[in-house]
Amino acid sequence: MPTWPVPLALVALSLIPVIAGAVRLTDLSTGSTHMPQDAHHPEMPVALIVHIVSATAYSVLGAFQFSAGLRRRHARWHRTAGRVLVPLGLAVALSALWLTLVYPTEVNTGPLLYWSRVIFAVAMATCLVLGLMTVRARNFRAHRAWMIRAYALGLGAGTQVVTIGLAEATLGTSAAVADAATAAGWAVNLAVAESIIRRPRARGRRSIHPSKEKLR
């Protein structure tokens, strides 16, 4: 059974935030104003640059960890990629905290978005640390679960494009709606992650030679 549709779908989900991040970096490096400017995005925001670069690499590289065929055939690549993804994911989470706690609050946002960012950033960093601890303890099932949760949180921006669009189309545009829809993006991803983690994993069926089948 093909295993590439899942990573490709995850890359597609992250495509809009990746493009937006690239445009933001272009604005910062050239002085152009393709993206809206506010106090949350000053002229040389180190945390924002770290966040965009690490989130782009984390979302794209992490997607291919979900290819079962790639894991089976290239176990060394899977382990090497994992060693890269943990620091990348920590950079995503910690830079998000940095942006939230240190930089001025974005205009037209409220406490719901502020605390959602803090809680989910801390949750992502915690999942990554627990994922690292469990793989070192060779508890691969727990490692898989924690890394899936961490990736789901890291991919929140992709889902937020959908949740914000749906919320504003049905409820109208307001700061409260946008903040709630943004928080919902992380919540939806976590819910999907938990359903994947708790779903019984398919066991490989033994192939039976036709001659042996006749003996049954």
Side-chain angles (χ1 to χ4, degrees):
M1 182 176 180
T3 60
W4 287 107
V6 172
L8 292 178
L10 293 172
V11 171
L13 182 62
S14 63
L15 193 58
I16 293 178
V18 166
I19 293 173
V23 174
R24 177 70 72 182
L25 289 178
T26 301
D27 285 353
L28 291 172
S29 61
T30 63
S32 54
T33 56
H34 295 99
M35 298 287 286
Q37 299 292 318
D38 59 40
H40 198 66
H41 302 127
E43 292 182 0
M44 287 302 294
V46 175
L48 182 62
I49 294 172
V50 171
H51 188 71
I52 291 172
V53 173
S54 58
T56 298
Y58 183 78
S59 59
V60 174
L61 179 61
F64 293 94
Q65 296 291 74
F66 290 85
S67 171
L70 187 61
R71 291 197 305 270
R72 285 193 302 267
R73 292 189 295 270
H74 303 284
R76 180 175 296 179
W77 185 93
H78 177 76
R79 291 192 297 269
T80 302
R83 293 188 181 102
V84 175
L85 284 166
V86 170
L88 279 176
L90 288 172
V92 173
L94 296 178
S95 61
L97 271 179
W98 185 0
L99 283 165
T100 303
L101 299 176
V102 177
Y103 282 58
T105 304
E106 291 168 301
V107 295
N108 298 321
T109 62
L112 175 60
L113 180 59
Y114 178 90
W115 288 109
S116 295
R117 284 173 168 168
V118 171
I119 291 168
F120 287 116
V122 171
M124 181 179 174
T126 302
C127 289
L128 287 164
V129 171
L130 290 173
L132 182 61
M133 292 172 62
T134 49
V135 76
R136 289 175 67 88
R138 303 191 68 77
N139 185 347
F140 298 114
R141 178 172 295 184
H143 167 72
R144 172 180 176 270
W146 287 118
M147 296 307 286
I148 288 174
R149 293 181 184 113
Y151 185 78
L153 291 170
L155 206 62
T159 307
Q160 285 157 5
V161 174
V162 179
T163 55
I164 293 172
L166 290 175
E168 292 186 344
T170 56
L171 302 174
T173 56
S174 69
V177 168
D179 290 358
T182 303
W186 285 304
V188 167
N189 279 14
L190 268 185
V192 173
E194 289 301 323
S195 69
I196 294 171
I197 292 166
R198 298 174 189 278
R199 183 176 61 197
R201 301 183 70 178
R203 296 179 180 274
R205 298 180 63 183
R206 294 181 180 179
S207 59
I208 302 174
H209 193 277
S211 61
K212 293 182 180 180
E213 180 67 23
K214 293 178 182 179
L215 295 176
R216 292 192 172 189

